[in-house]
């Protein structure tokens, strides 16, 4: 619950024992969640797909905030042509549903050309550490923040992406001293930040 989700070929809330996900041709599952027991996974095979994963916070006070999350992203090709690869992602934040208050440069995923369109024996999605991505944003008045992760899955074989552990911090400034105080963790303003509720089909965890 609490999320709108992209529409690739397959998707699931998963854990390390998931049997429906083959991160290599020889095994199922195997990705250890970054936080808690679950993470969100989706993939696209044989075609490019753009989509967004998004959630809207509870009402926040005006101020400066930082949102971050963990991800893994990989794509594969059975053609020796790197122009067919290049999956990437970025994060943006909107004040309510309209005003863009933050965006980041795209980060490109891990890409490999092998003899097939699947990972084969490649275990990047299993073994690679989770990577963090985040954005600073400011609300000039009280309101909600809509966090939008845009994923551009590009392949001539298969692309996989996993998300977990969305965190939200408020940053406080000491105007007298001109310093930034330690941020305060307000992750509770995000519904289901680690995908811990709902483990069935899309209707169980999307609007």
């Amino acid at each position: 619950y609490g999320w709108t989700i992209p529409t690739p070929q397959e998707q699931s809330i998963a854990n390390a024992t998931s049997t429906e996900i083959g991160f290599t041709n020889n095994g199922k599952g195997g990705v250890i969640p970054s936080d808690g027991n679950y993470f969100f996974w989706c993939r696209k095979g044989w075609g490019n797909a753009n989509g967004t994963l998004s959630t809207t916070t509870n009402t926040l006070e005006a101020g400066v905030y930082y949102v971050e999350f963990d991800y893994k992203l990989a794509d594969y090709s059975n053609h020796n042509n790197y122009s067919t690869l290049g999956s990437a992602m970025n994060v943006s934040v909107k004040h309510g549903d309209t005003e863009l208050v933050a965006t980041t440069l795209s980060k490109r995923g891990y890409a490999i050309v092998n003899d097939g369109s699947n990972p084969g024996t490649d275990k990047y999605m299993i073994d690679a550490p989770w990577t963090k991505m985040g954005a600073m944003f400011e609300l000039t008045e009280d309101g909600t923040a809509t966090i939008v992760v845009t994923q551009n899955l590009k392949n001539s074989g298969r692309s996989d992406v996993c998300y977990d552990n969305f965190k939200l911090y408020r940053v406080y400034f000491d105007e007298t001293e001109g310093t930034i105080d330690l941020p305060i963790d307000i992750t509770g303003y995000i519904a289901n930040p680690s995908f811990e509720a709902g483990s069935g089909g899309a209707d169980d965890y999307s609007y």
Side-chain angles (χ1 to χ4, degrees):
Y1 70 94
W3 296 91
T4 57
I5 56 177
T7 55
Q9 184 169 311
E10 297 180 35
Q11 54 199 14
S12 177
I13 287 180
N15 58 28
T17 62
S18 295
T19 58
E20 72 273 24
I21 301 173
F23 286 109
T24 71
N25 287 357
N26 301 319
K28 299 288 186 180
V31 172
I32 302 301
S34 170
D35 180 67
N37 298 311
Y38 296 92
F39 59 92
F40 179 73
W41 160 82
C42 61
R43 84 171 182 94
K44 175 65 176 176
W46 292 110
N48 303 328
N50 299 332
T52 57
L53 177 78
S54 66
T55 188
T56 300
T57 67
N58 294 336
T59 299
L60 302 171
E61 295 180 357
V64 177
Y65 296 87
Y66 182 74
V67 61
E68 70 174 12
F69 60 94
D70 300 329
Y71 75 91
K72 296 188 181 192
L73 174 64
D75 56 36
Y76 299 88
S77 172
N78 66 340
H79 301 294
N80 189 21
N81 181 354
Y82 282 93
S83 67
T84 63
L85 299 173
S87 292
M89 64 194 308
N90 62 47
V91 60
S92 59
V93 182
K94 297 179 181 179
H95 188 188
D97 295 325
T98 56
E99 181 187 5
L100 184 68
V101 292
T103 188
T104 63
L105 296 174
S106 294
K107 292 190 177 181
R108 187 172 176 177
Y110 166 84
I112 185 172
V113 172
N114 54 12
D115 293 330
S117 59
N118 286 309
T121 59
D122 183 79
K123 297 177 64 180
Y124 174 84
M125 290 294 289
I126 296 173
D127 294 339
W130 289 87
T131 300
K132 289 189 179 297
M133 189 173 191
M136 190 86 72
F137 63 96
E138 181 177 6
L139 300 183
T140 57
E141 59 184 27
D142 295 358
T144 60
T146 300
I147 302 161
V148 182
V149 181
T150 300
Q151 60 182 42
N152 302 298
L153 303 182
K154 181 180 179 182
N155 67 83
S156 62
R158 167 176 172 163
S159 297
D160 286 84
V161 60
C162 298
Y163 303 100
D164 199 5
N165 194 26
F166 279 75
K167 303 289 262 184
L168 182 63
Y169 301 93
R170 182 168 184 185
V171 181
Y172 286 92
F173 292 90
D174 187 327
E175 296 182 0
T176 302
E177 299 293 332
T179 58
I180 300 176
D181 293 337
L182 292 175
I184 306 300
D185 189 344
I186 56 169
T187 303
Y189 282 76
I190 301 176
N192 200 13
S194 291
F195 305 98
E196 294 302 284
S199 57
D203 290 341
D204 291 335
Y205 53 87
S206 67
Y207 291 130

